Amino acid sequence: MIDPVLPTYNRIDLVFERGEGAWLFTKDGKRYLDFTAGIAVNVLGHAHPHLVAALTEQAGKLWHLSNLFRIEGGERLARRLTDATFADTMFFTNSGAEALECAIKMARKYHSANGQPERYRIITFEGAFHGRTLATIAAGGNPKYLEGFGPAMPGFDQVPFGDLAAVKAAIGPETGAILIEPVQGEGGVRGASWPFLRELRALADEHGLLLVLDEVQCGVGRTGKLFAHEWAGITPDIMAVAKGIGGGFPVGACLATAEAAKGMTAGTHGSTYGGNPLAMAVANAVLDVVLEDGFLERVRDTALRLRQRLAELKDRHPAIIAEVRGEGLLLGLRTLVPNGELIAAMRAEGMLAPAAADNVVRLLPPLNIGEAEIDGAFERIDAACAKLEAALKPEAVKGAAA
Ligand SMILES: *Cc1c(COP(=O)(O)O)cnc(C)c1O
């Protein structure tokens, strides 16, 4: 008998009733420190008063219109995001995968509009994650996600992450774009080096390719800059955003330069819900906070302090934690035990975190956590590691410490 909810997820058997900041509460009042944050979505934590106010105020006025009419909230959000980024224009979506779909279509259309429709191929990277639609599973190239769904959509050439020579070798007469996550999230919290991103930018310019960034997970302040590519000192031609931009309300966006977007004229793309008034009210409220003076600076300080504590944990538990990696508050612990074991042990201590590839435990707290949450995380991970160590054979613990 199949579950009435399509069983594509192995869900954790916890039911939460409410959330407050970085904390989640079950019905029976048990409290969890939430470093999943809806997979890097709840950038301001749960039930942030400014977001609650924006949503409830809009809910009493107007929910949905369709894009047959002007939507002032969307016009305002677009103006603010163009002011704050490289972009001249953007398309609003309801998810990350849809933002990537728009980015892929736009890249193809750009070359078509330039009279080179044959340049539809996009270079992507091993370990990438771009979503679960047919185009984005083809772009991501993960065989687990492609298996059984028929022929993969053509047009993607995958090369090893960080391998410039492989990118160069993959460029052919049909190549139109390069698509990369500045920091791979699902792929194991693996950062592209900033020099590598600069090399890709130069390569794209040299060959007339579009540089497309997927900042669905690493964007919106997560790395301590509004967008991760700012660390590299480059700008993309097209960028997909989602997750954090809605703070928990489903919102995505595909941002672009005027040049890259030139093929996307009236009628070429659409979405019934994308950018609806409720979504735009919340996304504007997220920006109110993230763009506040000092917010991103505080994220960088918080990230530094959390990272120091994690390094301490690695020193204390060398048989469990092999490496601390990531940028800003997109952090990962590569573990020597199966990552799921540490995640379960942390949950038993009252802390939630998601897994990533490469045997990594991801730590994705809300961006506005304070000292109490950093201490709380340290204590819970420390206790979880101690329990796992106690279960290990004594030689393993000694061997790792030596
Ligand atoms: C989550 C994610 C996506 C897909 O977003 P959805 O909202 O799940 O469709 C795409 N790219 C990256 C980097 C992501 O982390």
PDB file of all heavy atoms in Angstrom, residues 9 39 94-100 129-133 136 181 183-186 214-218 240 242-243 251 362, ligand 1:
ATOM      1  N   TYR A   9      10.493  10.725  -0.418  1.00  0.00           N
ATOM      2  CA  TYR A   9      11.408  11.153   0.644  1.00  0.00           C
ATOM      3  C   TYR A   9      11.410  10.131   1.784  1.00  0.00           C
ATOM      4  O   TYR A   9      10.355   9.594   2.126  1.00  0.00           O
ATOM      5  CB  TYR A   9      10.975  12.498   1.248  1.00  0.00           C
ATOM      6  CG  TYR A   9      11.360  13.708   0.432  1.00  0.00           C
ATOM      7  CD1 TYR A   9      10.468  14.272  -0.471  1.00  0.00           C
ATOM      8  CD2 TYR A   9      12.614  14.303   0.581  1.00  0.00           C
ATOM      9  CE1 TYR A   9      10.812  15.390  -1.218  1.00  0.00           C
ATOM     10  CE2 TYR A   9      12.965  15.420  -0.164  1.00  0.00           C
ATOM     11  CZ  TYR A   9      12.063  15.959  -1.061  1.00  0.00           C
ATOM     12  OH  TYR A   9      12.408  17.064  -1.792  1.00  0.00           O
ATOM     13  N   ILE A  39      16.588  23.710   4.531  1.00  0.00           N
ATOM     14  CA  ILE A  39      17.652  23.617   3.512  1.00  0.00           C
ATOM     15  C   ILE A  39      18.040  25.010   3.008  1.00  0.00           C
ATOM     16  O   ILE A  39      17.815  25.363   1.842  1.00  0.00           O
ATOM     17  CB  ILE A  39      17.310  22.660   2.352  1.00  0.00           C
ATOM     18  CG1 ILE A  39      16.670  21.363   2.891  1.00  0.00           C
ATOM     19  CG2 ILE A  39      18.568  22.340   1.536  1.00  0.00           C
ATOM     20  CD1 ILE A  39      16.387  20.313   1.840  1.00  0.00           C
ATOM     21  N   ASN A  94       8.791  30.187  -8.709  1.00  0.00           N
ATOM     22  CA  ASN A  94       8.349  29.672  -7.401  1.00  0.00           C
ATOM     23  C   ASN A  94       9.361  28.736  -6.779  1.00  0.00           C
ATOM     24  O   ASN A  94       9.130  28.225  -5.694  1.00  0.00           O
ATOM     25  CB  ASN A  94       7.035  28.914  -7.571  1.00  0.00           C
ATOM     26  CG  ASN A  94       6.065  29.686  -8.415  1.00  0.00           C
ATOM     27  OD1 ASN A  94       5.528  30.691  -7.968  1.00  0.00           O
ATOM     28  ND2 ASN A  94       5.877  29.259  -9.642  1.00  0.00           N
ATOM     29  N   SER A  95      10.444  28.458  -7.481  1.00  0.00           N
ATOM     30  CA  SER A  95      11.408  27.473  -6.980  1.00  0.00           C
ATOM     31  C   SER A  95      12.752  27.682  -7.654  1.00  0.00           C
ATOM     32  O   SER A  95      12.862  28.433  -8.642  1.00  0.00           O
ATOM     33  CB  SER A  95      10.915  26.055  -7.278  1.00  0.00           C
ATOM     34  OG  SER A  95      10.985  25.821  -8.670  1.00  0.00           O
ATOM     35  N   GLY A  96      13.741  26.975  -7.120  1.00  0.00           N
ATOM     36  CA  GLY A  96      15.076  27.043  -7.686  1.00  0.00           C
ATOM     37  C   GLY A  96      15.150  26.394  -9.055  1.00  0.00           C
ATOM     38  O   GLY A  96      15.747  26.942  -9.990  1.00  0.00           O
ATOM     39  N   ALA A  97      14.547  25.216  -9.183  1.00  0.00           N
ATOM     40  CA  ALA A  97      14.602  24.512 -10.467  1.00  0.00           C
ATOM     41  C   ALA A  97      13.992  25.361 -11.578  1.00  0.00           C
ATOM     42  O   ALA A  97      14.526  25.418 -12.689  1.00  0.00           O
ATOM     43  CB  ALA A  97      13.873  23.170 -10.361  1.00  0.00           C
ATOM     44  N   GLU A  98      12.900  26.053 -11.264  1.00  0.00           N
ATOM     45  CA  GLU A  98      12.289  26.912 -12.282  1.00  0.00           C
ATOM     46  C   GLU A  98      13.175  28.106 -12.622  1.00  0.00           C
ATOM     47  O   GLU A  98      13.176  28.578 -13.764  1.00  0.00           O
ATOM     48  CB  GLU A  98      10.955  27.461 -11.771  1.00  0.00           C
ATOM     49  CG  GLU A  98       9.820  26.489 -11.760  1.00  0.00           C
ATOM     50  CD  GLU A  98       8.636  27.133 -11.060  1.00  0.00           C
ATOM     51  OE1 GLU A  98       8.638  27.179  -9.815  1.00  0.00           O
ATOM     52  OE2 GLU A  98       7.741  27.629 -11.754  1.00  0.00           O
ATOM     53  N   ALA A  99      13.912  28.591 -11.644  1.00  0.00           N
ATOM     54  CA  ALA A  99      14.845  29.695 -11.921  1.00  0.00           C
ATOM     55  C   ALA A  99      15.941  29.206 -12.866  1.00  0.00           C
ATOM     56  O   ALA A  99      16.352  29.913 -13.789  1.00  0.00           O
ATOM     57  CB  ALA A  99      15.438  30.227 -10.619  1.00  0.00           C
ATOM     58  N   LEU A 100      16.391  27.949 -12.644  1.00  0.00           N
ATOM     59  CA  LEU A 100      17.409  27.352 -13.530  1.00  0.00           C
ATOM     60  C   LEU A 100      16.837  27.085 -14.915  1.00  0.00           C
ATOM     61  O   LEU A 100      17.525  27.272 -15.924  1.00  0.00           O
ATOM     62  CB  LEU A 100      17.926  26.047 -12.922  1.00  0.00           C
ATOM     63  CG  LEU A 100      19.200  26.070 -12.063  1.00  0.00           C
ATOM     64  CD1 LEU A 100      20.378  26.659 -12.823  1.00  0.00           C
ATOM     65  CD2 LEU A 100      18.985  26.821 -10.774  1.00  0.00           C
ATOM     66  N   PHE A 129      24.211  20.302  -8.328  1.00  0.00           N
ATOM     67  CA  PHE A 129      22.776  20.084  -8.145  1.00  0.00           C
ATOM     68  C   PHE A 129      22.046  21.334  -8.612  1.00  0.00           C
ATOM     69  O   PHE A 129      22.308  22.431  -8.126  1.00  0.00           O
ATOM     70  CB  PHE A 129      22.418  19.794  -6.684  1.00  0.00           C
ATOM     71  CG  PHE A 129      20.943  19.543  -6.516  1.00  0.00           C
ATOM     72  CD1 PHE A 129      20.381  18.325  -6.871  1.00  0.00           C
ATOM     73  CD2 PHE A 129      20.098  20.536  -6.032  1.00  0.00           C
ATOM     74  CE1 PHE A 129      19.018  18.094  -6.749  1.00  0.00           C
ATOM     75  CE2 PHE A 129      18.729  20.315  -5.902  1.00  0.00           C
ATOM     76  CZ  PHE A 129      18.190  19.093  -6.259  1.00  0.00           C
ATOM     77  N   HIS A 130      21.140  21.138  -9.580  1.00  0.00           N
ATOM     78  CA  HIS A 130      20.413  22.288 -10.112  1.00  0.00           C
ATOM     79  C   HIS A 130      18.899  22.123 -10.027  1.00  0.00           C
ATOM     80  O   HIS A 130      18.167  22.976 -10.535  1.00  0.00           O
ATOM     81  CB  HIS A 130      20.837  22.551 -11.560  1.00  0.00           C
ATOM     82  CG  HIS A 130      22.295  22.857 -11.719  1.00  0.00           C
ATOM     83  ND1 HIS A 130      22.897  23.946 -11.106  1.00  0.00           N
ATOM     84  CD2 HIS A 130      23.297  22.215 -12.388  1.00  0.00           C
ATOM     85  CE1 HIS A 130      24.187  23.966 -11.408  1.00  0.00           C
ATOM     86  NE2 HIS A 130      24.468  22.929 -12.178  1.00  0.00           N
ATOM     87  N   GLY A 131      18.420  21.026  -9.409  1.00  0.00           N
ATOM     88  CA  GLY A 131      16.985  20.843  -9.270  1.00  0.00           C
ATOM     89  C   GLY A 131      16.556  19.496  -9.817  1.00  0.00           C
ATOM     90  O   GLY A 131      17.387  18.675 -10.210  1.00  0.00           O
ATOM     91  N   ARG A 132      15.214  19.262  -9.856  1.00  0.00           N
ATOM     92  CA  ARG A 132      14.682  17.937 -10.177  1.00  0.00           C
ATOM     93  C   ARG A 132      13.780  17.929 -11.406  1.00  0.00           C
ATOM     94  O   ARG A 132      13.059  16.954 -11.622  1.00  0.00           O
ATOM     95  CB  ARG A 132      13.911  17.406  -8.973  1.00  0.00           C
ATOM     96  CG  ARG A 132      14.775  17.152  -7.746  1.00  0.00           C
ATOM     97  CD  ARG A 132      15.842  16.085  -7.977  1.00  0.00           C
ATOM     98  NE  ARG A 132      16.276  15.574  -6.688  1.00  0.00           N
ATOM     99  CZ  ARG A 132      16.037  14.314  -6.273  1.00  0.00           C
ATOM    100  NH1 ARG A 132      15.440  13.449  -7.042  1.00  0.00           N
ATOM    101  NH2 ARG A 132      16.456  13.944  -5.078  1.00  0.00           N
ATOM    102  N   THR A 133      13.755  19.001 -12.182  1.00  0.00           N
ATOM    103  CA  THR A 133      13.017  18.953 -13.450  1.00  0.00           C
ATOM    104  C   THR A 133      13.857  18.188 -14.464  1.00  0.00           C
ATOM    105  O   THR A 133      15.042  17.914 -14.241  1.00  0.00           O
ATOM    106  CB  THR A 133      12.755  20.363 -13.989  1.00  0.00           C
ATOM    107  OG1 THR A 133      14.020  20.991 -14.232  1.00  0.00           O
ATOM    108  CG2 THR A 133      11.959  21.209 -12.996  1.00  0.00           C
ATOM    109  N   THR A 136      16.941  20.189 -15.402  1.00  0.00           N
ATOM    110  CA  THR A 136      17.926  20.408 -14.341  1.00  0.00           C
ATOM    111  C   THR A 136      18.567  19.103 -13.864  1.00  0.00           C
ATOM    112  O   THR A 136      19.706  19.135 -13.403  1.00  0.00           O
ATOM    113  CB  THR A 136      17.322  21.201 -13.158  1.00  0.00           C
ATOM    114  OG1 THR A 136      16.141  20.546 -12.682  1.00  0.00           O
ATOM    115  CG2 THR A 136      16.988  22.621 -13.572  1.00  0.00           C
ATOM    116  N   GLU A 181      27.667  26.306  -9.665  1.00  0.00           N
ATOM    117  CA  GLU A 181      27.380  26.815  -8.322  1.00  0.00           C
ATOM    118  C   GLU A 181      28.704  27.331  -7.745  1.00  0.00           C
ATOM    119  O   GLU A 181      29.660  26.550  -7.654  1.00  0.00           O
ATOM    120  CB  GLU A 181      26.912  25.687  -7.391  1.00  0.00           C
ATOM    121  CG  GLU A 181      25.598  25.025  -7.725  1.00  0.00           C
ATOM    122  CD  GLU A 181      25.546  23.614  -7.118  1.00  0.00           C
ATOM    123  OE1 GLU A 181      25.163  23.473  -5.953  1.00  0.00           O
ATOM    124  OE2 GLU A 181      25.905  22.657  -7.825  1.00  0.00           O
ATOM    125  N   VAL A 183      29.458  27.773  -4.741  1.00  0.00           N
ATOM    126  CA  VAL A 183      29.713  26.785  -3.693  1.00  0.00           C
ATOM    127  C   VAL A 183      28.669  25.685  -3.884  1.00  0.00           C
ATOM    128  O   VAL A 183      27.470  25.946  -3.795  1.00  0.00           O
ATOM    129  CB  VAL A 183      29.574  27.376  -2.272  1.00  0.00           C
ATOM    130  CG1 VAL A 183      29.947  26.322  -1.226  1.00  0.00           C
ATOM    131  CG2 VAL A 183      30.421  28.626  -2.109  1.00  0.00           C
ATOM    132  N   GLN A 184      29.131  24.459  -4.159  1.00  0.00           N
ATOM    133  CA  GLN A 184      28.185  23.354  -4.295  1.00  0.00           C
ATOM    134  C   GLN A 184      27.603  23.019  -2.927  1.00  0.00           C
ATOM    135  O   GLN A 184      28.352  22.800  -1.971  1.00  0.00           O
ATOM    136  CB  GLN A 184      28.888  22.107  -4.852  1.00  0.00           C
ATOM    137  CG  GLN A 184      29.242  22.216  -6.327  1.00  0.00           C
ATOM    138  CD  GLN A 184      29.770  20.904  -6.890  1.00  0.00           C
ATOM    139  OE1 GLN A 184      30.176  20.015  -6.156  1.00  0.00           O
ATOM    140  NE2 GLN A 184      29.759  20.796  -8.216  1.00  0.00           N
ATOM    141  N   GLY A 185      26.274  22.980  -2.841  1.00  0.00           N
ATOM    142  CA  GLY A 185      25.628  22.652  -1.563  1.00  0.00           C
ATOM    143  C   GLY A 185      25.416  21.162  -1.432  1.00  0.00           C
ATOM    144  O   GLY A 185      26.122  20.474  -0.685  1.00  0.00           O
ATOM    145  N   GLU A 186      24.453  20.623  -2.209  1.00  0.00           N
ATOM    146  CA  GLU A 186      24.141  19.195  -2.160  1.00  0.00           C
ATOM    147  C   GLU A 186      25.378  18.352  -2.459  1.00  0.00           C
ATOM    148  O   GLU A 186      25.524  17.246  -1.946  1.00  0.00           O
ATOM    149  CB  GLU A 186      23.053  18.842  -3.174  1.00  0.00           C
ATOM    150  CG  GLU A 186      21.790  19.695  -3.092  1.00  0.00           C
ATOM    151  CD  GLU A 186      21.046  19.537  -1.795  1.00  0.00           C
ATOM    152  OE1 GLU A 186      20.861  18.395  -1.355  1.00  0.00           O
ATOM    153  OE2 GLU A 186      20.664  20.558  -1.212  1.00  0.00           O
ATOM    154  N   ASP A 214      24.508  29.390 -10.462  1.00  0.00           N
ATOM    155  CA  ASP A 214      23.414  28.888  -9.642  1.00  0.00           C
ATOM    156  C   ASP A 214      23.720  29.274  -8.200  1.00  0.00           C
ATOM    157  O   ASP A 214      24.541  28.649  -7.540  1.00  0.00           O
ATOM    158  CB  ASP A 214      23.310  27.366  -9.801  1.00  0.00           C
ATOM    159  CG  ASP A 214      22.182  26.774  -8.951  1.00  0.00           C
ATOM    160  OD1 ASP A 214      21.656  27.492  -8.073  1.00  0.00           O
ATOM    161  OD2 ASP A 214      21.839  25.588  -9.156  1.00  0.00           O
ATOM    162  N   GLU A 215      23.059  30.353  -7.746  1.00  0.00           N
ATOM    163  CA  GLU A 215      23.232  30.795  -6.354  1.00  0.00           C
ATOM    164  C   GLU A 215      21.965  30.514  -5.551  1.00  0.00           C
ATOM    165  O   GLU A 215      21.629  31.244  -4.623  1.00  0.00           O
ATOM    166  CB  GLU A 215      23.639  32.278  -6.302  1.00  0.00           C
ATOM    167  CG  GLU A 215      25.026  32.532  -6.880  1.00  0.00           C
ATOM    168  CD  GLU A 215      25.891  33.443  -6.005  1.00  0.00           C
ATOM    169  OE1 GLU A 215      25.577  33.588  -4.796  1.00  0.00           O
ATOM    170  OE2 GLU A 215      26.857  34.013  -6.544  1.00  0.00           O
ATOM    171  N   VAL A 216      21.279  29.448  -5.930  1.00  0.00           N
ATOM    172  CA  VAL A 216      20.039  29.103  -5.236  1.00  0.00           C
ATOM    173  C   VAL A 216      20.323  28.820  -3.755  1.00  0.00           C
ATOM    174  O   VAL A 216      19.570  29.245  -2.884  1.00  0.00           O
ATOM    175  CB  VAL A 216      19.353  27.898  -5.913  1.00  0.00           C
ATOM    176  CG1 VAL A 216      18.222  27.354  -5.042  1.00  0.00           C
ATOM    177  CG2 VAL A 216      18.818  28.299  -7.281  1.00  0.00           C
ATOM    178  N   GLN A 217      21.435  28.127  -3.488  1.00  0.00           N
ATOM    179  CA  GLN A 217      21.746  27.795  -2.088  1.00  0.00           C
ATOM    180  C   GLN A 217      22.747  28.770  -1.461  1.00  0.00           C
ATOM    181  O   GLN A 217      22.644  29.133  -0.298  1.00  0.00           O
ATOM    182  CB  GLN A 217      22.298  26.361  -1.995  1.00  0.00           C
ATOM    183  CG  GLN A 217      22.469  25.881  -0.573  1.00  0.00           C
ATOM    184  CD  GLN A 217      22.397  24.365  -0.421  1.00  0.00           C
ATOM    185  OE1 GLN A 217      22.825  23.832   0.564  1.00  0.00           O
ATOM    186  NE2 GLN A 217      21.823  23.670  -1.369  1.00  0.00           N
ATOM    187  N   CYS A 218      23.735  29.221  -2.230  1.00  0.00           N
ATOM    188  CA  CYS A 218      24.821  30.024  -1.644  1.00  0.00           C
ATOM    189  C   CYS A 218      24.524  31.524  -1.681  1.00  0.00           C
ATOM    190  O   CYS A 218      25.291  32.309  -1.126  1.00  0.00           O
ATOM    191  CB  CYS A 218      26.149  29.708  -2.329  1.00  0.00           C
ATOM    192  SG  CYS A 218      26.196  30.106  -4.083  1.00  0.00           S
ATOM    193  N   ALA A 240      20.685  32.240 -11.205  1.00  0.00           N
ATOM    194  CA  ALA A 240      19.469  31.685 -10.617  1.00  0.00           C
ATOM    195  C   ALA A 240      19.536  31.817  -9.105  1.00  0.00           C
ATOM    196  O   ALA A 240      20.560  31.535  -8.485  1.00  0.00           O
ATOM    197  CB  ALA A 240      19.317  30.216 -11.001  1.00  0.00           C
ATOM    198  N   ALA A 242      16.972  31.375  -5.406  1.00  0.00           N
ATOM    199  CA  ALA A 242      15.698  30.925  -4.806  1.00  0.00           C
ATOM    200  C   ALA A 242      15.936  30.791  -3.301  1.00  0.00           C
ATOM    201  O   ALA A 242      16.509  31.692  -2.703  1.00  0.00           O
ATOM    202  CB  ALA A 242      15.193  29.633  -5.425  1.00  0.00           C
ATOM    203  N   LYS A 243      15.542  29.667  -2.722  1.00  0.00           N
ATOM    204  CA  LYS A 243      15.737  29.390  -1.295  1.00  0.00           C
ATOM    205  C   LYS A 243      15.668  30.660  -0.422  1.00  0.00           C
ATOM    206  O   LYS A 243      14.588  31.113  -0.100  1.00  0.00           O
ATOM    207  CB  LYS A 243      17.030  28.608  -1.083  1.00  0.00           C
ATOM    208  CG  LYS A 243      16.955  27.201  -1.710  1.00  0.00           C
ATOM    209  CD  LYS A 243      17.945  26.205  -1.137  1.00  0.00           C
ATOM    210  CE  LYS A 243      17.568  24.780  -1.531  1.00  0.00           C
ATOM    211  NZ  LYS A 243      18.274  24.242  -2.668  1.00  0.00           N
ATOM    212  N   VAL A 251       9.823  31.355  -3.457  1.00  0.00           N
ATOM    213  CA  VAL A 251      10.173  32.392  -4.436  1.00  0.00           C
ATOM    214  C   VAL A 251      11.494  32.016  -5.086  1.00  0.00           C
ATOM    215  O   VAL A 251      12.410  31.553  -4.412  1.00  0.00           O
ATOM    216  CB  VAL A 251      10.385  33.789  -3.785  1.00  0.00           C
ATOM    217  CG1 VAL A 251      10.526  34.863  -4.865  1.00  0.00           C
ATOM    218  CG2 VAL A 251       9.256  34.153  -2.845  1.00  0.00           C
ATOM    219  N   ARG A 362      25.808  18.978   6.660  1.00  0.00           N
ATOM    220  CA  ARG A 362      25.732  20.409   6.368  1.00  0.00           C
ATOM    221  C   ARG A 362      25.218  21.185   7.572  1.00  0.00           C
ATOM    222  O   ARG A 362      24.331  20.712   8.281  1.00  0.00           O
ATOM    223  CB  ARG A 362      24.772  20.665   5.208  1.00  0.00           C
ATOM    224  CG  ARG A 362      25.461  20.952   3.910  1.00  0.00           C
ATOM    225  CD  ARG A 362      24.453  21.215   2.811  1.00  0.00           C
ATOM    226  NE  ARG A 362      23.553  20.095   2.598  1.00  0.00           N
ATOM    227  CZ  ARG A 362      22.518  20.113   1.767  1.00  0.00           C
ATOM    228  NH1 ARG A 362      22.237  21.226   1.095  1.00  0.00           N
ATOM    229  NH2 ARG A 362      21.746  19.059   1.611  1.00  0.00           N
TER     230      ARG A 362
HETATM  231  C1  LIG B   1      17.901  23.587  -3.936  1.00  0.00           C
HETATM  232  C2  LIG B   1      18.689  23.885  -5.127  1.00  0.00           C
HETATM  233  C3  LIG B   1      18.115  23.930  -6.405  1.00  0.00           C
HETATM  234  C4  LIG B   1      16.677  23.552  -6.666  1.00  0.00           C
HETATM  235  O1  LIG B   1      15.776  24.350  -5.983  1.00  0.00           O
HETATM  236  P1  LIG B   1      14.260  23.855  -5.795  1.00  0.00           P
HETATM  237  O2  LIG B   1      13.592  25.026  -5.144  1.00  0.00           O
HETATM  238  O3  LIG B   1      14.301  22.634  -4.947  1.00  0.00           O
HETATM  239  O4  LIG B   1      13.730  23.557  -7.146  1.00  0.00           O
HETATM  240  C5  LIG B   1      18.912  24.307  -7.466  1.00  0.00           C
HETATM  241  N1  LIG B   1      20.207  24.624  -7.286  1.00  0.00           N
HETATM  242  C6  LIG B   1      20.785  24.577  -6.077  1.00  0.00           C
HETATM  243  C7  LIG B   1      22.215  24.963  -5.941  1.00  0.00           C
HETATM  244  C8  LIG B   1      20.058  24.199  -4.958  1.00  0.00           C
HETATM  245  O5  LIG B   1      20.649  24.126  -3.767  1.00  0.00           O
END
